[in-house]
Amino acid sequence: MSILLRPEIGARQAVGLTAMAAVAAARAAERLCGVPITIKWVNDLWKNGKKVCGILTEAALDLESGMLDYAVLGLGFNVAAPADGWPEDLRDVAGALYDGSPAPGARAALAAAFLNAFWPLYRAGPRSGYLDEYRRRQALTGQRVLVTPRRGTPRAAQVQGIDDECKLVVRFDGESRPAALNSGEVSVRLL
């Protein structure tokens, strides 16, 4: 599903759209599937430790104002596993919302549940409290992870949490001060 948005926000606040969508998608998936859904920073939903949804937000920026012209929010749910199973390279990481075949209309119900959860968050913005729920649903908080920068050497760290700008706060091994990571600069996986 893709949604065209015209938020009146600056580029620094754009990651909040992804976090809002993750909260709304987790609520919708839990409502329909009846199992807990967690969020792996910044844009993946997990069911039983496996990815069941990915979220991407692309935007166009007005360089003069620093505000977004528009954003496209895209969500891809794994509603059911492939009939012949997941490919070998995905078996350990991919999951599905439903263990078997979903009921007729499940995809439409999921889309409707997502939209019904997302629009109130989007309209209220930061006042909606989405960031608190985003933090509560984090699958990585307290976990040991490997942080891989786009350029550079991977490093082990302990996840401390999420800051007010949706950055992942980690403490790298051997360092006493925490670091806040931007989603576009690194990838993170559990150790």
Side-chain angles (χ1 to χ4, degrees), residues 21-44:
V23 167
R27 288 178 183 177
E30 280 183 353
R31 182 169 171 229
L32 294 174
C33 301
V35 295
I37 301 292
T38 58
I39 301 168
K40 178 190 170 273
W41 177 81
V42 65
N43 59 345
D44 292 338

Side-chain angles (χ1 to χ4, degrees), residues 64-149:
E64 289 181 16
S65 70
M67 302 292 283
L68 297 187
D69 277 338
Y70 65 85
V72 177
L73 180 65
L75 294 94
F77 287 96
N78 296 337
V79 176
D84 55 348
W86 297 105
E88 181 68 33
D89 59 332
L90 296 179
R91 283 190 189 134
D92 293 335
V93 295
L97 292 176
Y98 292 95
D99 293 329
S101 296
R107 286 172 177 79
L110 180 60
F114 169 76
L115 292 170
N116 286 331
F118 178 73
W119 288 122
L121 296 175
Y122 179 73
R123 287 185 188 108
R127 296 183 320 274
S128 71
Y130 76 89
L131 189 54
D132 291 334
E133 185 173 347
Y134 184 76
R135 287 178 175 132
R136 282 193 307 273
R137 289 182 178 272
Q138 277 307 306
L140 296 180
T141 300
Q143 300 291 322
R144 301 247 330 123
V145 296
L146 185 66
V147 177
T148 305

